[in-house]
Amino acid sequence: MEELETSKEELQSMNEELTTLNQENRHHIEDLRQLSGDLQNLLTATDIATLFLDRDLRIVRFTPKVAEVFNILSTDKGRPLSDLTHRLTGPQLLEDARQVLDRLVPVVREVQSEDGRWFQSRFLPYRTPDDRIEGVVLTLMDITDRKTAEKEIQQARDYAEAIFETLPDPLLVLNPDLTVKTANPYFCGHFRVAPAQTQGRRIYDLGNGQWDIPELRTLLEDVLPENKVFHGYQVEHEFEGLGRRVMLINARRLDHVQLILLGIHDITERYDAEQAVAAARDELEHRVKERTAELEQQKTRLQHLARELAAAEHRERKRLAALLHDDLQQYLVAMRMHMDVARHQKDRKSSDRMFGKCAELLDQAMQCSRDLTHQLRPPVLYEAGLVPALRWLASEMQRRHEMEIHVEADSVEGPLTDDMRAMVFESVRELLFNVVKHAGVKQAAVAVEQSEEWLRVTVSDRGQGMDLERLERREQESGGLGLFSIRERLEVIGGTMQIRSDPGDGTEITLDVPMDLAADQPAATRGPSVRPTAAGVAPGAPPGGKAGPRVLVVDDHVIVRQGLATLIEEDVRVELVGQVGDGFEAIEAVEQLQPDVVLMDVNMPRMNGLDATREIRRRWPQVHVVGLSVQDDSVTVGSMREAGAGAFLSKSDDAESLVQTILNLMSVV
């Protein structure tokens, strides 16, 4: 019994232990159920596709995300991985899984699905708590957003690098310690350094220390740390091999990448140009001030000049009036008196003597008129040209002042307006009068040179010279005409006057006149561009009426022309065939009437006698020309003969001289 009781107690104790053990197992089962639920919820909730494989690479467990990549169902547990199809491209999954089992080393790859998504595949060995390898775990993490971001970042980097490489200004990327991370090609090319010589070096050490510029140190070490960015700081530095450069420095601190962008804009050429413009502006302002002062002085001098011109005009009028009254009018009055006396004489001898007196007085009156004409407007200047007029002026200076003037000049080719000829002639005459009055010598020289652009006339003497500064002050104070007047007239037409003179060493004055002003010449100097009709031809006696030479009279003065025509008509030895009023009409008349001799006035409008004579002699060399003029000086006579005239007569010559000259030309006595 006791043994039974003991057995019973042992059974009860064992039963209690079993109950306790059973209770503990229930708790373990509950814990395992809870753990299994948590694991199932974790696998369901995780956003990572995870596939658990055993050592035979059979499916043990997987998360729902796996279905997005593999064609898998819940009933596929226990099937080999090789039986499943998937939507990944690239490497073989089975090979990666076997490699993990063989080497126990994780395999990580980036793979892409057929729909363009990117995954990071990671194969890891499955280890038990007691460190046994029971299979493989495959995770597929969707990294599409990361790959997109990386691509965008790479594109942005490529874009930035393209800008950096093509930027047309030097650019440096610096580390916070001011070492060069990158230098763009323009920096290397502009400052003549190789990329390898820049990267990793402090900016101050570049180019043998050429960038150790105090202003740049201040900007990078003091200004940039405080302000994070600065713009447009101008730095000027002398670089070895490059010379002086002026640069605008810009910099920005990029804290998020711990870099510094340093831009350099070389403005040397622009800076130099701006400085040149500023200097030119200052120079222009200075010249404007000087010119304004000169204009004020000229204004004052021109006012004096205007008053002096008015006074000179009054003096000239008074002189001309006195000359006309005291000389010309007296000759005419005396001639009228002698004519009245001759008209009342009863015998022929006394009347002839009175008419002879009248002829002498008439000659004197004509000479007085001729002298007055030469003083006011020398005919030779307009009939023969500038150089012959200067030679005539030289002879006049010899005759009136015993001054020997040597004229050295070729004939002036090309057109010269009447105004230009008159201005140059009057200027030379005034300069020669100055030699007479102030030089203290009896010799002077006039030289005429011509180019395509300029006519240059130089008047020189070896006299006592002059003090130019003193002369300038005297003319400014007095407003005299002299050299100031000549210079002002030349400057108006774009010409210049240069004076070289020293006391005791003579004077040389050069006048330069632009030839392009000669384009607007009057028709009288241009030759026959228009051929007028011969309506002005007045026929004489019918052809064949007389046996002598046939004569054409050409003169622009109607009274003189008719007087010459009357003299010829009354002489039986010559025949008048026509009379016209200028050179154009003379050419037409010669062509129509075919005269033997042309009596040609020298000074006429439209076409003068010199040009008409040249044209007639060129076209009809058998026609003889006799020059006619009130002026019978050697220059006028010589110019007419050079044009082709066979003889020359003064209009004051008598009728017999006229007819005899014509007959001599024709070799008829």
Side-chain angles (χ1 to χ4, degrees):
M1 282 300 289
E2 289 180 1
E3 292 178 356
L4 288 173
E5 284 293 332
T6 301
S7 299
K8 182 178 177 181
E9 289 177 359
E10 290 177 354
L11 288 174
Q12 287 179 346
S13 176
M14 186 178 296
N15 188 40
E16 289 176 358
E17 289 179 1
L18 289 174
T19 301
T20 301
L21 182 60
N22 187 41
Q23 186 69 29
E24 289 178 357
N25 286 336
R26 263 200 312 270
H27 285 306
H28 283 303
I29 291 172
E30 285 295 329
D31 290 340
L32 289 174
R33 185 182 297 111
Q34 182 67 37
L35 183 60
S36 178
D38 291 343
L39 179 59
Q40 187 65 36
N41 280 282
L42 176 62
L43 293 177
T44 303
T46 184
D47 199 32
I48 300 174
T50 306
L51 187 64
F52 295 89
L53 305 175
D54 60 14
R55 292 187 65 84
D56 296 327
L57 301 182
R58 294 178 181 275
I59 298 172
V60 177
R61 188 178 295 107
F62 59 88
T63 63
K65 273 287 185 180
V66 173
E68 295 182 4
V69 180
F70 287 85
N71 298 317
I72 191 170
L73 299 174
S74 60
T75 57
D76 289 333
K77 291 181 180 181
R79 294 182 62 184
L81 179 63
S82 58
D83 290 350
L84 300 181
T85 61
H86 55 80
R87 289 179 287 277
L88 298 177
T89 62
Q92 298 295 324
L93 297 178
L94 288 175
E95 294 178 1
D96 290 343
R98 291 190 183 99
Q99 181 178 342
V100 171
L101 287 175
D102 293 341
R103 300 180 181 178
L104 301 180
V105 176
V107 175
V108 181
R109 296 183 188 276
E110 291 182 355
V111 295
Q112 191 175 16
S113 66
E114 294 174 351
D115 60 0
R117 290 187 297 164
W118 283 90
F119 295 89
Q120 185 185 68
S121 68
R122 183 188 295 268
F123 283 91
L124 298 171
Y126 184 87
R127 296 178 183 273
T128 63
D130 54 357
D131 200 25
R132 288 184 296 112
I133 304 301
E134 293 293 337
V136 178
V137 179
L138 168 64
T139 60
L140 293 170
M141 184 180 295
D142 192 335
I143 60 171
T144 303
D145 292 341
R146 193 193 76 185
K147 292 291 287 186
T148 302
E150 288 177 352
K151 184 178 180 181
E152 291 176 351
I153 291 173
Q154 185 61 42
Q155 290 175 345
R157 182 181 291 108
D158 293 342
Y159 180 71
E161 288 179 354
I163 294 176
F164 183 79
E165 294 290 329
T166 58
L167 195 68
D169 281 322
L171 183 64
L172 292 175
V173 179
L174 305 178
N175 295 309
D177 60 355
L178 301 182
T179 58
V180 178
K181 180 179 178 63
T182 309
N184 74 338
Y186 198 87
F187 178 91
C188 298
H190 190 75
F191 292 103
R192 303 177 186 176
V193 293
Q197 297 174 336
T198 62
Q199 295 177 1
R201 301 182 63 183
R202 294 199 78 198
I203 184 173
Y204 306 133
D205 298 330
L206 297 180
N208 298 325
Q210 291 190 96
W211 285 91
D212 191 3
I213 305 172
E215 296 93 334
L216 184 60
R217 276 185 176 272
T218 301
L219 292 173
L220 294 177
E221 298 175 7
D222 298 337
V223 177
L224 188 61
E226 295 293 331
N227 300 310
K228 191 177 181 177
V229 62
F230 61 78
H231 293 289
Y233 277 80
Q234 183 171 306
V235 174
E236 185 173 343
H237 186 65
E238 188 79 22
F239 287 92
E240 181 180 350
L242 290 177
R244 171 185 147 277
R245 312 307 295 175
V246 181
M247 302 168 290
L248 291 181
I249 306 295
N250 304 307
R252 180 178 293 274
R253 195 177 75 243
L254 306 177
D255 292 336
H256 63 289
V257 290
Q258 292 297 299
L259 293 174
I260 298 172
L261 290 181
L262 182 66
I264 304 161
H265 182 46
D266 193 331
I267 61 168
T268 306
E269 287 73 18
R270 189 188 77 186
Y271 180 82
D272 291 342
E274 290 174 351
Q275 294 299 310
V277 169
R281 182 176 62 249
D282 295 340
E283 177 66 18
L284 180 60
E285 291 177 354
H286 178 68
R287 291 186 179 182
V288 168
K289 291 180 180 178
E290 288 184 343
R291 186 57 180 164
T292 301
E294 291 177 2
L295 290 175
E296 289 295 330
Q297 293 179 356
Q298 289 187 1
K299 179 181 177 181
T300 302
R301 294 164 65 182
L302 286 172
Q303 290 174 346
H304 289 302
L305 178 61
R307 290 193 293 269
E308 184 63 25
L309 286 174
E313 180 182 4
H314 176 71
R315 290 193 299 270
E316 188 65 15
R317 287 177 178 273
K318 184 177 179 181
R319 187 183 71 82
L320 292 177
L323 182 62
L324 292 174
H325 178 270
D326 296 339
D327 292 335
L328 187 58
Q329 288 185 5
Q330 302 303 319
Y331 291 135
L332 295 176
V333 169
M335 185 173 61
R336 177 60 182 270
M337 293 178 179
H338 283 79
M339 290 180 65
D340 287 341
V341 173
R343 192 167 54 244
H344 293 89
Q345 293 294 326
K346 295 183 179 180
D347 60 291
R348 179 67 178 270
K349 185 176 181 180
S350 297
S351 62
D352 288 344
R353 187 173 64 254
M354 288 297 103
F355 280 119
K357 287 288 186 179
C358 289
E360 292 176 4
L361 292 171
L362 182 59
D363 290 339
Q364 293 175 356
M366 292 177 62
Q367 183 61 45
C368 178
S369 175
R370 187 179 296 117
D371 292 342
L372 182 59
T373 301
H374 277 89
Q375 294 179 30
L376 296 178
R377 187 178 184 271
V380 66
L381 178 64
Y382 306 96
E383 295 172 358
L386 177 62
V387 173
L390 293 177
R391 298 189 189 281
W392 170 85
L393 178 61
S395 64
E396 286 294 297
M397 297 295 290
Q398 176 71 35
R399 183 174 66 87
R400 293 176 177 271
H401 305 287
E402 296 183 353
M403 172 69 70
E404 182 181 348
I405 308 297
H406 176 66
V407 179
E408 181 179 352
D410 297 328
S411 60
V412 176
E413 301 294 336
L416 287 176
T417 64
D418 288 348
D419 291 341
M420 285 181 63
R421 281 199 297 264
M423 185 194 68
V424 174
F425 179 83
E426 293 297 335
S427 299
V428 172
R429 179 156 63 179
E430 191 163 349
L431 293 176
L432 291 177
F433 282 152
N434 284 340
V435 174
V436 172
K437 291 185 290 184
H438 306 298
V441 293
K442 289 295 185 179
Q443 296 86 25
V446 178
V448 181
E449 302 175 75
Q450 181 189 356
S451 66
E452 293 182 358
E453 299 179 354
W454 294 92
L455 174 67
R456 170 169 292 181
V457 181
T458 303
V459 178
S460 59
D461 66 76
R462 297 184 177 276
Q464 61 187 10
M466 53 185 169
D467 186 337
L468 295 181
E469 294 183 0
R470 180 180 178 185
L471 177 65
E472 182 75 15
R473 289 194 302 269
R474 186 178 64 192
E475 288 193 353
Q476 289 180 2
E477 295 171 358
S478 65
L481 297 179
L483 298 178
F484 169 72
S485 173
I486 297 174
R487 181 170 61 240
E488 291 297 322
R489 283 179 287 173
L490 284 173
E491 290 178 354
V492 167
I493 64 171
T496 59
M497 181 179 72
Q498 298 178 0
I499 305 175
R500 289 180 292 275
S501 181
D502 291 305
D505 194 27
T507 301
E508 181 179 280
I509 301 177
T510 301
L511 312 178
D512 285 327
V513 181
M515 287 296 295
D516 56 1
L517 296 178
D520 298 328
Q521 57 174 336
T525 64
R526 285 199 298 261
S529 59
V530 181
R531 297 189 62 82
T533 63
V537 176
K546 297 181 182 179
R550 294 160 49 80
V551 181
L552 172 67
V553 176
V554 183
D555 198 302
D556 60 318
H557 296 285
V558 177
I559 295 176
V560 176
R561 187 170 67 240
Q562 291 177 351
L564 292 171
T566 301
L567 291 176
I568 294 172
E569 286 178 334
E570 291 182 354
D571 196 302
V572 297
R573 294 171 294 177
V574 291
E575 177 184 358
L576 179 67
V577 297
Q579 49 179 300
V580 294
D582 62 39
F584 283 118
E585 295 177 357
I587 294 171
E588 288 285 344
V590 171
E591 184 175 18
Q592 294 180 17
L593 303 177
Q594 294 295 311
D596 298 313
V597 178
V598 178
L599 297 182
M600 182 72 72
D601 186 18
V602 176
N603 190 15
M604 293 183 295
R606 296 209 304 167
M607 178 185 285
N608 60 38
L610 295 172
D611 293 335
T613 298
R614 293 189 187 96
E615 183 67 13
I616 290 172
R617 292 290 295 168
R618 184 185 68 83
R619 296 172 61 178
W620 300 283
Q622 76 279 5
V623 176
H624 299 281
V625 177
V626 177
L628 291 176
S629 178
V630 174
Q631 314 298 330
D632 57 356
D633 55 88
S634 59
V635 176
T636 303
V637 175
S639 299
M640 197 63 186
R641 288 190 176 276
E642 288 178 2
F648 186 90
L649 291 173
S650 173
K651 292 184 180 180
S652 61
D653 289 343
D654 55 30
E656 180 59 29
S657 298
L658 174 63
V659 174
Q660 193 60 48
T661 299
I662 295 173
L663 295 177
N664 290 340
L665 271 179
M666 299 299 298
S667 299
V668 177
V669 182

